Amino acid sequence: MEGGGSEDDPGEGFLRHLSRGSATKYQLLVYHADSLFHDKEYRNAVSKYTMALQQKKALSKTSKVRPSTGNSASTPQSQCLPSEIEVKYKMAECYTMLKQDKDAIAILDGIPSRQRTPKINMMLANLYKKAGQERPSVTSYKEVLRQCPLALDAILGLLSLSVKGAEVASMTMNVIQTVPNLDWLSVWIKAYAFVHTGDNSRAINTICSLEKKSLLRDNVDLLGSLADLYFRAGDNKNSVLKFEQAQMLDPYLIKGMDVYGYLLAREGRLEDVENLGCRLFNISDQHAEPWVVSGCHSFYSKRYSRALYLGAKAIQLNSNSVQALLLKGAALRNMGRVQEAIIHFREAIRLAPCRLDCYEGLIECYLASNSIREAMVMANNVYKTLGANAQTLTLLATVCLEDPVTQEKAKTLLDKALTQRPDYIKAVVKKAELLSREQKYEDGIALLRNALANQSDCVLHRILGDFLVAVNEYQEAMDQYSIALSLDPNDQKSLEGMQKMEKEESPTDATQEEDVDDMEGSGEEGDLEGSDSEAAQWADQEQWFGMQ
């Protein structure tokens, strides 16, 4: 019996058979869970992954009990089994899809540091960042870079957490020196360091220098970043041009198209916005951008309830979409739900502290609720944080214009802003508003003509029309209103200005026009009733999506 060898031991044979069965069951449970994950049944998938891990634990115990026989027949089978680390990563993915970030962090934290792959560290870094845990997020991003020095997303993650550009560059220095044609990377890091510190002008100049390099010429990512930077700097014309250039190079581009759609909508190009939305939906409806673009179309068509619903849907798909938060916040504000709007603008500021439009939305809410003191505090903080540039000076001046005591300060701030950027439209509009209050119409006309010398803008043409009416230049005023309407056919104020002039030119027809106005007024009541029913319809759908 002693010389018979252990391979004839019936106890060992039973354990080997049991081990094979457990291994097969573990493998099948993982495959089943993978299938459920791809069918978006995330809760069910988590349940099956959990069962698989329990089965793997039992399998490990069986392996420890079984004595070593020197037989390597089971080795290939064990090597083919799905990795326990990979199963935990997939569970974390399920939790993130279910918006249970704490559970995702817990499952990944349970993996020993030495066993964490770059993608596990990357997911942990992003989850920590989202949860506001900056220190562990930085540690995880650095670990990704240690393993993969060319991981650009990890570089951007570190820069977004205020890690100095020089420190990040030092972590990639060895690979830059050893791999050919990587001389652009240090300049790229420098450019995005400027982006994340809010230094838009230097970021634009640095990226423009990168774009001229043959390796990165016509790079869609760089063009998208450049477009976004022009937008942040208030240069909407160049922003639109860069977005169009990127879109021509990549017709399936989705990233950044929400900002592009917003800019088109602001210009009154609603047909282009509608076409853009349709094109994006044909590419994918699982991204926030198509919903935001359609929401912008609704918002600038004054269909605020529908814009609210579309913004809520975009946030469901991507809770970090700044443009979706701004859309929903603006819709809530225009519907009179100011306190709810404030919550959305604050969240947008948390996600994008260097974007001025987030602060503008919040300040508009404060002004709408007559909270001038809060608006002034916020505007001063933005001025100190983002620096004294044309945009922050204009924002502070906008708040100062609301208080009669600070009118002179507003004038000084606007003069400084226009000295820096004579073509900055928001500064020109606010200065014109101030001149109108002071009835300095000739000065206003000169200001507006100068601003329109190198650009064409609906609002500027309309305000110039108003000033020309004030000095009895009716024919030219009519021309300016016509130009404004050609740029934005939906601009109600230009239409009202033109209709008012037509009435004054034809006093004999005044009675007839009043009758027509009465008839139109009754029609408008019907439209309002329709909009209320539409609001109820979209509000119902909004509740269905769990949004308010």
Side-chain angles (χ1 to χ4, degrees):
M1 292 290 290
E2 290 178 4
S6 61
E7 60 183 273
D8 297 324
D9 187 339
E12 185 190 334
F14 171 74
L15 287 172
R16 189 160 51 243
H17 175 74
L18 182 64
S19 175
R20 288 199 190 104
S22 298
T24 303
K25 186 174 181 181
Y26 166 68
Q27 203 163 20
L28 289 173
L29 281 167
V30 173
Y31 291 160
H32 186 193
D34 288 346
S35 301
L36 292 168
F37 179 86
H38 285 290
D39 282 342
K40 300 182 181 179
E41 296 183 32
Y42 302 116
R43 294 187 193 281
N44 199 353
V46 167
S47 172
K48 297 301 181 290
Y49 283 132
T50 304
M51 290 171 64
L53 288 176
Q54 290 169 349
Q55 190 67 33
K56 185 70 165 62
K57 194 174 181 180
L59 179 61
S60 300
K61 287 180 181 178
T62 306
S63 301
K64 287 176 184 177
V65 170
R66 190 178 68 218
S68 176
T69 63
N71 186 356
S72 61
S74 63
T75 304
Q77 183 190 25
S78 63
Q79 288 177 345
C80 291
L81 289 177
S83 160
E84 191 175 344
I85 305 299
E86 185 65 23
V87 170
K88 288 183 178 180
Y89 176 80
K90 288 177 178 176
M91 283 183 73
E93 280 191 307
C94 289
Y95 283 130
T96 57
M97 297 304 291
L98 293 167
K99 304 189 187 307
Q100 296 175 215
D101 292 347
K102 287 183 180 179
D103 293 320
I105 290 173
I107 197 78
L108 295 176
D109 256 341
I111 300 171
S113 299
R114 291 183 179 180
Q115 295 180 22
R116 292 176 190 171
T117 60
K119 72 176 182 180
I120 288 173
N121 279 311
M122 192 70 193
M123 181 183 273
L124 258 178
N126 290 333
L127 287 167
Y128 281 135
K129 180 183 173 185
K130 189 177 177 183
Q133 300 179 42
E134 292 190 5
R135 186 175 293 179
S137 180
V138 167
T139 302
S140 297
Y141 279 131
K142 285 183 176 179
E143 187 58 29
V144 174
L145 275 186
R146 189 187 67 78
Q147 296 171 297
C148 303
L150 295 178
L152 300 185
D153 282 340
I155 291 172
L156 291 175
L158 286 170
L159 293 172
S160 71
L161 292 169
S162 303
V163 178
K164 299 291 183 184
E167 183 183 347
V168 177
S170 68
M171 300 175 73
T172 64
M173 198 57 67
N174 289 337
V175 73
I176 289 175
Q177 291 171 351
T178 55
V179 178
N181 299 321
L182 270 183
D183 55 316
W184 58 268
L185 184 57
S186 57
V187 183
W188 186 91
I189 293 171
K190 183 181 176 183
Y192 283 94
F194 289 139
V195 170
H196 288 288
T197 55
D199 194 341
N200 295 326
S201 59
R202 292 171 78 181
I204 288 169
N205 292 335
T206 310
I207 290 181
C208 283
S209 71
L210 268 177
E211 200 192 1
K212 292 173 184 175
K213 293 180 179 288
S214 58
L215 279 172
L216 296 175
R217 188 174 289 120
D218 290 339
N219 181 281
V220 173
D221 283 332
L222 277 184
L223 286 169
S225 295
L226 202 50
D228 190 57
L229 283 165
Y230 278 126
F231 166 64
R232 293 186 189 195
D235 188 349
N236 294 346
K237 182 180 177 181
N238 273 319
S239 180
V240 169
L241 287 173
K242 291 300 176 183
F243 274 129
E244 286 174 349
Q245 193 177 342
Q247 192 181 214
M248 286 176 65
L249 289 166
D250 183 3
Y252 295 97
L253 179 65
I254 290 181
K255 184 181 177 182
M257 290 294 102
D258 49 354
V259 175
Y260 177 50
Y262 164 72
L263 289 172
L264 293 179
R266 275 192 57 141
E267 291 180 0
R269 296 165 58 181
L270 294 184
E271 188 176 343
D272 291 337
V273 177
E274 189 174 12
N275 292 336
L276 176 64
C278 291
R279 185 177 67 78
L280 293 175
F281 274 119
N282 286 334
I283 296 169
S284 172
D285 62 357
Q286 294 304 304
H287 291 77
E289 285 85 349
W291 300 89
V292 173
V293 170
S294 293
C296 288
H297 182 276
S298 297
F299 182 86
Y300 282 92
S301 301
K302 295 183 169 41
R303 300 165 69 187
Y304 301 125
S305 295
R306 189 167 193 270
L308 176 62
Y309 157 72
L310 292 165
K313 176 61 179 175
I315 292 168
Q316 272 201 330
L317 290 168
N318 180 5
S319 59
N320 290 331
S321 171
V322 175
Q323 212 60 39
L325 287 164
L326 294 178
L327 170 65
K328 192 179 175 192
L332 286 166
R333 183 191 63 225
N334 283 21
M335 293 170 71
R337 294 159 63 177
V338 177
Q339 293 307 312
E340 293 173 71
I342 286 172
I343 294 169
H344 287 76
F345 287 121
R346 282 178 177 163
E347 177 62 11
I349 289 169
R350 187 187 71 81
L351 292 170
C354 291
R355 276 188 58 168
L356 192 76
D357 52 340
C358 301
Y359 297 99
E360 286 175 336
L362 182 57
I363 287 171
E364 283 176 21
C365 285
Y366 286 143
L367 294 178
S369 56
N370 292 319
S371 303
I372 297 175
R373 184 179 176 183
E374 286 86 346
M376 187 66 76
V377 170
M378 179 59 70
N380 274 307
N381 286 341
V382 175
Y383 178 77
K384 290 172 185 175
T385 306
L386 300 184
N389 55 54
Q391 292 168 283
T392 56
L393 287 163
T394 304
L395 184 60
L396 185 54
T398 301
V399 181
C400 290
L401 282 171
E402 297 296 318
D403 189 345
V405 179
T406 53
Q407 297 291 297
E408 282 302 315
K409 185 180 178 182
K411 184 178 180 182
T412 304
L413 291 167
L414 289 170
D415 287 341
K416 286 182 180 179
L418 289 168
T419 300
Q420 288 189 20
R421 281 183 58 185
D423 61 341
Y424 184 46
I425 291 174
K426 288 183 180 179
V428 174
V429 169
K430 288 300 172 184
K431 183 66 184 291
E433 182 184 324
L434 187 60
L435 291 171
S436 178
R437 290 181 188 182
E438 296 173 349
Q439 297 186 354
K440 296 180 178 178
Y441 300 117
E442 294 293 347
D443 291 346
I445 290 169
L447 170 75
L448 291 161
R449 288 193 196 283
N450 185 54
L452 286 166
N454 297 312
Q455 61 184 334
S456 189
D457 180 79
C458 169
V459 176
L460 296 184
H461 282 291
R462 184 229 302 153
I463 296 173
L464 180 55
D466 293 341
F467 275 59
L468 289 165
V469 168
V471 296
N472 301 320
E473 295 286 345
Y474 297 117
Q475 185 54 53
E476 192 180 351
M478 186 71 82
D479 293 340
Q480 293 299 325
Y481 289 137
S482 298
I483 295 170
L485 285 168
S486 70
L487 293 169
D488 182 2
N490 298 304
D491 186 51
Q492 193 63 33
K493 289 184 179 179
S494 295
L495 193 60
E496 288 170 1
M498 186 175 281
Q499 288 173 345
K500 186 178 178 182
M501 285 187 60
E502 288 172 349
K503 284 182 182 179
E504 290 176 357
E505 286 178 0
S506 307
T508 55
D509 298 334
T511 307
Q512 294 178 2
E513 289 181 4
E514 284 174 12
D515 292 340
V516 172
D517 287 342
D518 290 339
M519 292 172 66
E520 287 177 351
S522 63
E524 284 174 6
E525 287 175 10
D527 291 341
L528 284 170
E529 288 171 7
S531 65
D532 286 341
S533 63
E534 182 194 35
Q537 174 193 349
W538 288 109
D540 289 342
Q541 295 197 38
E542 186 186 331
Q543 289 174 0
W544 186 79
F545 276 104
M547 292 290 180
Q548 291 187 5

Short mmCIF file of all heavy atoms in Angstrom, two decimals, residues 198 200 229-236 354-357 360 382-383 386-398 417 420-421 424 426-427:
data_model
loop_
_atom_site.label_atom_id
_atom_site.label_comp_id
_atom_site.label_asym_id
_atom_site.label_seq_id
_atom_site.Cartn_x
_atom_site.Cartn_y
_atom_site.Cartn_z
N GLY A 198 -6.25 78.66 -14.62
CA GLY A 198 -7.11 79.73 -15.12
C GLY A 198 -6.39 80.79 -15.92
O GLY A 198 -6.97 81.85 -16.21
N ASN A 200 -5.82 81.70 -19.02
CA ASN A 200 -6.30 81.35 -20.35
C ASN A 200 -5.41 81.86 -21.48
O ASN A 200 -5.17 81.16 -22.46
CB ASN A 200 -7.74 81.87 -20.54
CG ASN A 200 -8.72 81.20 -19.61
OD1 ASN A 200 -8.58 80.03 -19.29
ND2 ASN A 200 -9.71 81.94 -19.14
N LEU A 229 -10.83 77.03 -24.49
CA LEU A 229 -10.09 78.14 -23.88
C LEU A 229 -10.54 79.49 -24.44
O LEU A 229 -10.69 80.46 -23.69
CB LEU A 229 -8.59 77.96 -24.11
CG LEU A 229 -7.90 76.92 -23.21
CD1 LEU A 229 -6.53 76.57 -23.75
CD2 LEU A 229 -7.79 77.47 -21.79
N TYR A 230 -10.76 79.55 -25.75
CA TYR A 230 -11.28 80.79 -26.33
C TYR A 230 -12.65 81.13 -25.73
O TYR A 230 -12.96 82.29 -25.45
CB TYR A 230 -11.40 80.66 -27.86
CG TYR A 230 -10.11 80.89 -28.60
CD1 TYR A 230 -9.61 79.95 -29.50
CD2 TYR A 230 -9.37 82.06 -28.43
CE1 TYR A 230 -8.42 80.15 -30.20
CE2 TYR A 230 -8.19 82.28 -29.12
CZ TYR A 230 -7.71 81.32 -30.00
OH TYR A 230 -6.55 81.54 -30.68
N PHE A 231 -13.45 80.09 -25.51
CA PHE A 231 -14.78 80.28 -24.91
C PHE A 231 -14.63 80.84 -23.49
O PHE A 231 -15.31 81.79 -23.11
CB PHE A 231 -15.52 78.94 -24.89
CG PHE A 231 -16.74 78.93 -24.01
CD1 PHE A 231 -17.82 79.73 -24.29
CD2 PHE A 231 -16.79 78.11 -22.89
CE1 PHE A 231 -18.95 79.73 -23.47
CE2 PHE A 231 -17.91 78.08 -22.08
CZ PHE A 231 -18.99 78.90 -22.35
N ARG A 232 -13.72 80.26 -22.72
CA ARG A 232 -13.51 80.73 -21.34
C ARG A 232 -12.99 82.16 -21.32
O ARG A 232 -13.28 82.92 -20.39
CB ARG A 232 -12.51 79.83 -20.62
CG ARG A 232 -13.01 78.42 -20.38
CD ARG A 232 -12.01 77.65 -19.52
NE ARG A 232 -12.32 76.23 -19.44
CZ ARG A 232 -11.80 75.42 -18.54
NH1 ARG A 232 -10.92 75.89 -17.66
NH2 ARG A 232 -12.12 74.14 -18.52
N ALA A 233 -12.21 82.51 -22.33
CA ALA A 233 -11.65 83.87 -22.41
C ALA A 233 -12.65 84.87 -22.97
O ALA A 233 -12.34 86.06 -23.09
CB ALA A 233 -10.38 83.85 -23.26
N GLY A 234 -13.84 84.40 -23.32
CA GLY A 234 -14.87 85.29 -23.85
C GLY A 234 -14.72 85.61 -25.33
O GLY A 234 -15.43 86.47 -25.86
N ASP A 235 -13.84 84.88 -26.02
CA ASP A 235 -13.64 85.08 -27.46
C ASP A 235 -14.49 84.05 -28.21
O ASP A 235 -13.99 83.04 -28.72
CB ASP A 235 -12.15 84.92 -27.80
CG ASP A 235 -11.84 85.31 -29.25
OD1 ASP A 235 -12.79 85.51 -30.03
OD2 ASP A 235 -10.65 85.41 -29.59
N ASN A 236 -15.78 84.30 -28.27
CA ASN A 236 -16.72 83.32 -28.83
C ASN A 236 -16.50 83.07 -30.32
O ASN A 236 -16.70 81.95 -30.81
CB ASN A 236 -18.16 83.77 -28.59
CG ASN A 236 -18.51 83.79 -27.10
OD1 ASN A 236 -17.79 83.22 -26.28
ND2 ASN A 236 -19.59 84.46 -26.75
N CYS A 354 -12.54 77.47 -12.44
CA CYS A 354 -11.89 78.48 -13.29
C CYS A 354 -12.81 78.98 -14.41
O CYS A 354 -12.38 79.79 -15.23
CB CYS A 354 -10.60 77.92 -13.89
SG CYS A 354 -9.31 77.66 -12.67
N ARG A 355 -14.04 78.49 -14.45
CA ARG A 355 -14.97 78.92 -15.52
C ARG A 355 -15.83 80.07 -15.03
O ARG A 355 -16.64 79.93 -14.11
CB ARG A 355 -15.84 77.74 -15.96
CG ARG A 355 -15.16 76.88 -16.99
CD ARG A 355 -16.09 75.83 -17.58
NE ARG A 355 -17.27 76.38 -18.21
CZ ARG A 355 -18.09 75.67 -18.97
NH1 ARG A 355 -17.84 74.38 -19.18
NH2 ARG A 355 -19.15 76.20 -19.51
N LEU A 356 -15.67 81.20 -15.67
CA LEU A 356 -16.36 82.42 -15.23
C LEU A 356 -17.88 82.31 -15.41
O LEU A 356 -18.64 82.87 -14.62
CB LEU A 356 -15.83 83.62 -16.03
CG LEU A 356 -16.26 84.98 -15.49
CD1 LEU A 356 -15.46 85.35 -14.25
CD2 LEU A 356 -16.10 86.05 -16.55
N ASP A 357 -18.33 81.59 -16.45
CA ASP A 357 -19.77 81.52 -16.70
C ASP A 357 -20.53 80.86 -15.56
O ASP A 357 -21.72 81.12 -15.36
CB ASP A 357 -20.08 80.83 -18.04
CG ASP A 357 -19.41 79.49 -18.18
OD1 ASP A 357 -18.42 79.22 -17.47
OD2 ASP A 357 -19.86 78.69 -19.04
N GLU A 360 -21.06 83.67 -13.19
CA GLU A 360 -22.03 84.60 -13.77
C GLU A 360 -23.45 84.12 -13.52
O GLU A 360 -24.34 84.90 -13.17
CB GLU A 360 -21.79 84.74 -15.28
CG GLU A 360 -20.56 85.57 -15.62
CD GLU A 360 -20.27 85.59 -17.11
OE1 GLU A 360 -20.70 84.67 -17.83
OE2 GLU A 360 -19.59 86.55 -17.57
N VAL A 382 -14.40 86.39 -7.10
CA VAL A 382 -14.00 85.99 -8.46
C VAL A 382 -12.89 86.90 -8.97
O VAL A 382 -11.90 86.44 -9.55
CB VAL A 382 -15.20 86.04 -9.42
CG1 VAL A 382 -14.77 85.75 -10.85
CG2 VAL A 382 -16.27 85.05 -9.00
N TYR A 383 -13.04 88.20 -8.72
CA TYR A 383 -12.04 89.20 -9.14
C TYR A 383 -10.67 88.89 -8.53
O TYR A 383 -9.64 88.94 -9.19
CB TYR A 383 -12.53 90.59 -8.73
CG TYR A 383 -11.60 91.72 -9.06
CD1 TYR A 383 -11.50 92.21 -10.35
CD2 TYR A 383 -10.82 92.31 -8.07
CE1 TYR A 383 -10.66 93.28 -10.66
CE2 TYR A 383 -9.97 93.37 -8.35
CZ TYR A 383 -9.90 93.85 -9.65
OH TYR A 383 -9.05 94.88 -9.95
N LEU A 386 -9.56 84.90 -9.87
CA LEU A 386 -9.23 84.71 -11.28
C LEU A 386 -8.41 85.86 -11.86
O LEU A 386 -7.99 85.80 -13.01
CB LEU A 386 -10.51 84.51 -12.10
CG LEU A 386 -11.39 83.31 -11.72
CD1 LEU A 386 -12.56 83.19 -12.67
CD2 LEU A 386 -10.58 82.02 -11.71
N GLY A 387 -8.20 86.91 -11.07
CA GLY A 387 -7.36 88.01 -11.55
C GLY A 387 -8.15 89.12 -12.21
O GLY A 387 -9.31 88.96 -12.59
N ALA A 388 -7.48 90.27 -12.38
CA ALA A 388 -8.13 91.44 -12.96
C ALA A 388 -8.01 91.40 -14.48
O ALA A 388 -7.07 91.92 -15.07
CB ALA A 388 -7.50 92.71 -12.42
N ASN A 389 -8.97 90.73 -15.13
CA ASN A 389 -9.02 90.74 -16.59
C ASN A 389 -10.35 91.34 -17.04
O ASN A 389 -11.19 91.69 -16.20
CB ASN A 389 -8.84 89.32 -17.15
CG ASN A 389 -9.84 88.33 -16.58
OD1 ASN A 389 -11.04 88.56 -16.63
ND2 ASN A 389 -9.33 87.24 -16.01
N ALA A 390 -10.52 91.48 -18.33
CA ALA A 390 -11.72 92.15 -18.86
C ALA A 390 -13.00 91.48 -18.37
O ALA A 390 -14.01 92.16 -18.08
CB ALA A 390 -11.67 92.16 -20.39
N GLN A 391 -12.98 90.15 -18.25
CA GLN A 391 -14.20 89.43 -17.85
C GLN A 391 -14.55 89.65 -16.40
O GLN A 391 -15.70 89.94 -16.05
CB GLN A 391 -14.01 87.93 -18.12
CG GLN A 391 -13.92 87.58 -19.59
CD GLN A 391 -13.46 86.15 -19.78
OE1 GLN A 391 -12.28 85.85 -19.65
NE2 GLN A 391 -14.39 85.26 -20.07
N THR A 392 -13.54 89.52 -15.50
CA THR A 392 -13.83 89.69 -14.07
C THR A 392 -14.16 91.15 -13.74
O THR A 392 -15.00 91.42 -12.88
CB THR A 392 -12.64 89.22 -13.22
OG1 THR A 392 -11.45 89.91 -13.62
CG2 THR A 392 -12.41 87.72 -13.39
N LEU A 393 -13.50 92.08 -14.43
CA LEU A 393 -13.81 93.50 -14.23
C LEU A 393 -15.26 93.80 -14.64
O LEU A 393 -15.97 94.53 -13.95
CB LEU A 393 -12.85 94.36 -15.06
CG LEU A 393 -11.40 94.45 -14.56
CD1 LEU A 393 -10.48 94.97 -15.65
CD2 LEU A 393 -11.31 95.34 -13.31
N THR A 394 -15.68 93.22 -15.75
CA THR A 394 -17.06 93.44 -16.23
C THR A 394 -18.07 92.81 -15.29
O THR A 394 -19.14 93.39 -15.02
CB THR A 394 -17.22 92.87 -17.65
OG1 THR A 394 -16.25 93.46 -18.51
CG2 THR A 394 -18.61 93.14 -18.20
N LEU A 395 -17.76 91.62 -14.78
CA LEU A 395 -18.67 90.95 -13.85
C LEU A 395 -18.86 91.78 -12.58
O LEU A 395 -19.99 91.96 -12.10
CB LEU A 395 -18.13 89.56 -13.51
CG LEU A 395 -19.02 88.68 -12.61
CD1 LEU A 395 -20.36 88.43 -13.27
CD2 LEU A 395 -18.32 87.36 -12.30
N LEU A 396 -17.76 92.29 -12.05
CA LEU A 396 -17.85 93.13 -10.85
C LEU A 396 -18.61 94.42 -11.15
O LEU A 396 -19.43 94.88 -10.34
CB LEU A 396 -16.44 93.44 -10.34
CG LEU A 396 -16.31 94.22 -9.01
CD1 LEU A 396 -17.09 93.54 -7.90
CD2 LEU A 396 -14.85 94.37 -8.63
N ALA A 397 -18.37 94.99 -12.32
CA ALA A 397 -19.09 96.21 -12.72
C ALA A 397 -20.59 95.96 -12.85
O ALA A 397 -21.41 96.82 -12.50
CB ALA A 397 -18.53 96.73 -14.04
N THR A 398 -20.95 94.78 -13.35
CA THR A 398 -22.37 94.42 -13.50
C THR A 398 -23.10 94.49 -12.17
O THR A 398 -24.23 94.99 -12.08
CB THR A 398 -22.50 93.00 -14.08
OG1 THR A 398 -21.84 92.96 -15.35
CG2 THR A 398 -23.94 92.59 -14.26
N ALA A 417 -11.78 97.51 -18.20
CA ALA A 417 -12.06 96.31 -19.01
C ALA A 417 -11.92 96.62 -20.50
O ALA A 417 -11.32 95.84 -21.26
CB ALA A 417 -13.46 95.78 -18.70
N GLN A 420 -8.36 97.01 -21.71
CA GLN A 420 -7.73 95.71 -21.95
C GLN A 420 -8.24 95.06 -23.22
O GLN A 420 -7.47 94.53 -24.02
CB GLN A 420 -7.99 94.76 -20.76
CG GLN A 420 -7.22 95.12 -19.51
CD GLN A 420 -7.36 94.03 -18.44
OE1 GLN A 420 -7.69 92.88 -18.72
NE2 GLN A 420 -7.10 94.39 -17.19
N ARG A 421 -9.58 95.09 -23.40
CA ARG A 421 -10.19 94.45 -24.58
C ARG A 421 -11.33 95.32 -25.12
O ARG A 421 -12.48 95.20 -24.69
CB ARG A 421 -10.74 93.05 -24.20
CG ARG A 421 -9.67 91.99 -24.11
CD ARG A 421 -10.28 90.63 -23.81
NE ARG A 421 -11.25 90.22 -24.80
CZ ARG A 421 -11.99 89.12 -24.70
NH1 ARG A 421 -11.85 88.32 -23.66
NH2 ARG A 421 -12.85 88.80 -25.64
N TYR A 424 -14.59 93.47 -26.21
CA TYR A 424 -15.28 92.53 -25.33
C TYR A 424 -16.75 92.95 -25.23
O TYR A 424 -17.09 93.98 -24.65
CB TYR A 424 -14.63 92.49 -23.96
CG TYR A 424 -15.22 91.48 -23.02
CD1 TYR A 424 -15.49 90.17 -23.44
CD2 TYR A 424 -15.54 91.81 -21.71
CE1 TYR A 424 -16.04 89.24 -22.58
CE2 TYR A 424 -16.09 90.89 -20.84
CZ TYR A 424 -16.34 89.60 -21.29
OH TYR A 424 -16.90 88.68 -20.44
N LYS A 426 -19.56 91.97 -23.67
CA LYS A 426 -20.27 92.18 -22.39
C LYS A 426 -19.89 93.52 -21.76
O LYS A 426 -20.75 94.20 -21.19
CB LYS A 426 -19.97 91.03 -21.43
CG LYS A 426 -20.65 89.73 -21.82
CD LYS A 426 -20.41 88.64 -20.80
CE LYS A 426 -21.10 87.34 -21.22
NZ LYS A 426 -20.85 86.25 -20.24
N ALA A 427 -18.61 93.89 -21.87
CA ALA A 427 -18.17 95.19 -21.32
C ALA A 427 -18.79 96.34 -22.11
O ALA A 427 -19.23 97.35 -21.52
CB ALA A 427 -16.65 95.28 -21.35
#
